Coordinates of all heavy atoms in Angstrom, one line a residue:
M269 N -65.0 -1.5 -24.8 CA -64.3 -1.0 -26.0 C -63.1 -0.2 -25.5 O -63.1 0.6 -24.8 CB -65.3 -0.1 -26.9 CG -64.6 0.2 -28.2 SD -66.0 1.1 -29.2 CE -66.1 2.6 -28.5
I273 N -56.2 6.9 -26.4 CA -55.8 7.8 -25.4 C -55.2 9.1 -26.1 O -54.3 9.0 -26.9 CB -54.9 7.3 -24.4 CG1 -55.6 6.2 -23.6 CG2 -54.3 8.3 -23.4 CD1 -54.8 5.4 -22.6
L281 N -56.8 18.2 -23.3 CA -56.1 18.1 -22.0 C -55.8 19.5 -21.2 O -55.3 19.4 -20.1 CB -54.7 17.4 -22.3 CG -54.8 15.9 -22.8 CD1 -53.3 15.5 -23.0 CD2 -55.5 15.1 -22.0
G285 N -62.9 20.6 -17.2 CA -64.1 19.7 -17.4 C -65.3 20.2 -16.8 O -65.3 21.0 -15.7
D287 N -69.2 19.6 -15.2 CA -70.1 18.7 -14.4 C -71.0 18.1 -15.4 O -71.4 18.7 -16.3 CB -70.7 19.4 -13.2 CG -70.0 19.8 -12.1 OD1 -68.9 19.1 -11.8 OD2 -70.3 20.6 -11.2
L298 N -69.7 4.4 -21.1 CA -68.5 5.3 -21.1 C -67.6 4.9 -19.9 O -66.4 4.7 -20.1 CB -68.8 6.7 -21.0 CG -67.7 7.7 -20.9 CD1 -66.8 7.7 -22.1 CD2 -68.3 9.1 -20.6
D301 N -66.0 1.5 -20.7 CA -65.0 1.7 -21.7 C -63.7 2.4 -21.0 O -62.5 2.0 -21.4 CB -65.4 2.6 -22.8 CG -66.4 1.9 -23.7 OD1 -66.5 0.7 -23.5 OD2 -67.0 2.6 -24.5
M302 N -63.8 3.3 -20.1 CA -62.8 3.9 -19.4 C -61.9 2.8 -18.7 O -60.7 2.8 -18.7 CB -63.2 5.0 -18.5 CG -63.4 6.3 -19.4 SD -64.2 7.7 -18.6 CE -62.7 8.1 -17.5
W303 N -62.7 2.0 -17.9 CA -62.0 0.9 -17.1 C -61.1 0.0 -18.1 O -60.0 -0.3 -17.9 CB -63.0 0.0 -16.4 CG -63.6 0.6 -15.1 CD1 -64.9 0.7 -14.8 CD2 -62.8 1.0 -13.9 NE1 -65.0 1.3 -13.6 CE2 -63.8 1.4 -12.9 CE3 -61.5 1.1 -13.6 CZ2 -63.5 2.0 -11.7 CZ3 -61.2 1.6 -12.3 CH2 -62.2 2.0 -11.4
I319 N -59.6 10.6 -22.9 CA -60.3 10.0 -24.0 C -61.2 10.9 -24.8 O -62.2 10.6 -25.4 CB -61.1 8.7 -23.6 CG1 -62.0 8.9 -22.2 CG2 -60.2 7.6 -23.2 CD1 -63.4 8.7 -22.5
N320 N -60.8 12.2 -24.7 CA -61.3 13.3 -25.5 C -62.7 13.8 -25.1 O -63.6 14.3 -25.9 CB -61.4 12.8 -27.0 CG -61.3 14.0 -28.0 OD1 -60.7 15.1 -27.6 ND2 -61.8 13.8 -29.1
P322 N -64.3 16.4 -22.4 CA -64.0 17.5 -21.4 C -65.1 17.6 -20.3 O -65.7 18.6 -20.1 CB -64.0 18.8 -22.2 CG -65.0 18.6 -23.3 CD -64.9 17.1 -23.7
E343 N -46.2 -0.8 3.8 CA -46.1 0.0 5.0 C -45.8 1.5 4.7 O -46.4 2.4 5.3 CB -45.1 -0.6 6.0 CG -45.7 -1.4 7.1 CD -44.6 -2.3 7.8 OE1 -43.7 -1.5 8.3 OE2 -44.9 -3.4 7.9
V354 N -65.1 5.2 -9.0 CA -65.5 6.2 -10.1 C -65.9 7.4 -9.5 O -66.6 7.5 -8.5 CB -66.8 5.6 -10.9 CG1 -67.3 6.6 -11.9 CG2 -66.5 4.1 -11.5
Q361 N -62.4 19.7 -1.7 CA -62.8 20.4 -0.3 C -61.6 20.9 0.3 O -61.4 22.0 0.8 CB -63.6 19.5 0.4 CG -64.9 19.0 -0.3 CD -65.8 20.2 -0.8 OE1 -66.0 21.2 0.0 NE2 -66.2 20.1 -2.0
F363 N -57.1 20.2 0.8 CA -55.8 19.4 0.8 C -55.1 19.4 2.1 O -55.3 20.5 2.8 CB -54.8 20.0 -0.2 CG -55.2 20.0 -1.5 CD1 -55.7 21.1 -2.2 CD2 -55.0 18.8 -2.3 CE1 -56.0 21.1 -3.6 CE2 -55.3 18.7 -3.6 CZ -55.8 19.9 -4.3
W368 N -45.0 15.3 -0.2 CA -44.2 14.1 -0.4 C -44.0 14.0 -2.0 O -44.8 14.3 -2.7 CB -44.5 12.9 0.3 CG -45.9 12.2 -0.2 CD1 -47.1 12.8 0.0 CD2 -46.0 11.1 -0.8 NE1 -48.1 11.9 -0.5 CE2 -47.4 10.9 -1.1 CE3 -45.2 10.0 -1.3 CZ2 -48.0 9.8 -1.7 CZ3 -45.7 9.0 -2.0 CH2 -47.1 8.8 -2.2
D396 N -70.9 9.1 -7.2 CA -70.3 7.8 -7.8 C -71.2 7.5 -9.1 O -72.0 8.3 -9.7 CB -70.4 6.7 -6.8 CG -71.8 6.4 -6.3 OD1 -72.8 6.7 -7.0 OD2 -72.0 5.9 -5.2
F407 N -55.9 9.1 1.4 CA -54.4 9.3 1.9 C -53.6 8.6 1.0 O -53.9 7.7 0.1 CB -54.4 8.6 3.3 CG -55.5 9.1 4.3 CD1 -56.6 8.6 4.3 CD2 -55.1 10.2 5.1 CE1 -57.6 9.0 5.4 CE2 -56.0 10.6 6.0 CZ -57.3 10.1 6.1
G423 N -57.8 20.5 -16.4 CA -56.9 20.9 -17.5 C -55.4 21.0 -17.1 O -54.7 21.7 -17.8
R434 N -36.3 22.0 -15.9 CA -36.7 20.5 -16.1 C -37.6 20.4 -17.3 O -37.5 19.6 -18.2 CB -37.2 20.1 -14.8 CG -37.4 18.5 -14.7 CD -36.2 17.9 -14.5 NE -36.1 16.6 -15.1 CZ -35.2 15.9 -15.6 NH1 -34.1 16.3 -15.6 NH2 -35.5 14.7 -16.2
R435 N -38.6 21.4 -17.4 CA -39.6 21.5 -18.5 C -38.9 21.7 -19.8 O -39.1 21.1 -20.8 CB -40.6 22.6 -18.3 CG -41.6 22.4 -17.4 CD -42.7 21.5 -17.9 NE -43.5 22.2 -18.9 CZ -44.7 22.8 -18.7 NH1 -45.0 23.1 -17.5 NH2 -45.3 23.4 -19.7
L438 N -37.3 18.8 -21.3 CA -38.2 17.7 -21.7 C -38.9 18.2 -23.0 O -39.6 17.4 -23.6 CB -39.3 17.5 -20.7 CG -38.9 16.7 -19.4 CD1 -40.1 16.5 -18.5 CD2 -38.5 15.3 -19.8
K447 N -46.4 14.8 -31.9 CA -46.4 14.4 -33.3 C -46.5 13.0 -33.5 O -46.6 12.7 -34.7 CB -45.1 14.9 -33.8 CG -45.0 16.5 -33.9 CD -43.6 16.8 -34.5 CE -43.3 18.3 -34.2 NZ -41.8 18.5 -34.0
G448 N -46.7 12.2 -32.4 CA -46.7 10.7 -32.5 C -45.5 10.1 -32.8 O -45.5 8.8 -33.1
S451 N -43.0 5.4 -29.3 CA -43.6 4.1 -29.5 C -44.3 3.7 -28.2 O -43.8 3.7 -27.0 CB -42.6 3.1 -30.0 OG -42.0 2.5 -28.9
K460 N -50.9 16.3 -33.5 CA -50.2 16.9 -34.8 C -50.0 16.0 -35.9 O -49.7 14.8 -35.6 CB -48.9 17.6 -34.3 CG -49.2 18.9 -33.5 CD -47.8 19.4 -33.1 CE -48.1 20.6 -32.1 NZ -46.9 21.1 -31.3

Side-chain angles (χ1 to χ4, degrees):
M269 190 170 71
I273 293 173
L281 294 178
D287 283 342
L298 175 64
D301 288 348
M302 283 174 68
W303 283 124
I319 47 119
N320 208 24
E343 256 167 54
V354 176
Q361 300 302 313
F363 293 104
W368 62 293
D396 60 27
F407 306 88
R434 194 73 213 145
R435 281 283 290 271
L438 290 176
K447 289 177 197 146
S451 91
K460 288 181 189 160

